[in-house]
Amino acid sequence: TGSAIGNEGYVGLISIVTDPAFRRRGYGSALVSFSIDEAFTNDAKRIFLHSSEQGYGVYEALGFETVEHLCIFGRAGHEAGAH
């Protein structure tokens, strides 16, 4: 599953996730390939995303390049999903 958002020729692929039971079968690659094709068909100039370590190889194989690394900071008790 995943989403794409676009603005002025830039498209971000957001929350691309493959259920663990279906990984290593090409579903993630197929989804991202389809998203790339759709973005460029709709005049995208650039496509960007944030990758987990698990997804990095998929994106690299599809032609994405690392341009920067993100550091995420969280305070104890404020982690994602904590209420």
Side-chain angles (χ1 to χ4, degrees), residues 44-66:
K45 296 177 183 129
R46 297 274 191 264
I47 302 169
F48 63 91
L49 54 80
H50 299 151
S51 177
S52 66
E53 287 188 32
Q54 296 100 333
Y56 185 83
V58 171
Y59 303 127
E60 186 177 49
L62 291 170
F64 284 89
E65 299 176 4
T66 300

Side-chain angles (χ1 to χ4, degrees), residues 8-53:
E8 297 184 15
Y10 292 87
V11 173
L13 302 182
I14 310 299
S15 298
I16 305 297
V17 179
T18 303
D19 185 299
F22 296 97
R23 290 183 183 158
R24 315 267 332 138
R25 298 182 187 182
Y27 296 123
S29 294
L31 175 62
V32 175
S33 292
F34 176 81
S35 299
I36 291 168
D37 291 343
E38 284 294 304
F40 285 132
T41 296
N42 289 287
D43 300 322
K45 296 177 183 129
R46 297 274 191 264
I47 302 169
F48 63 91
L49 54 80
H50 299 151
S51 177
S52 66
E53 287 188 32

Side-chain angles (χ1 to χ4, degrees), residues 73-83:
F73 174 80
R75 294 185 178 167
H78 292 87
E79 293 84 11
H83 296 281

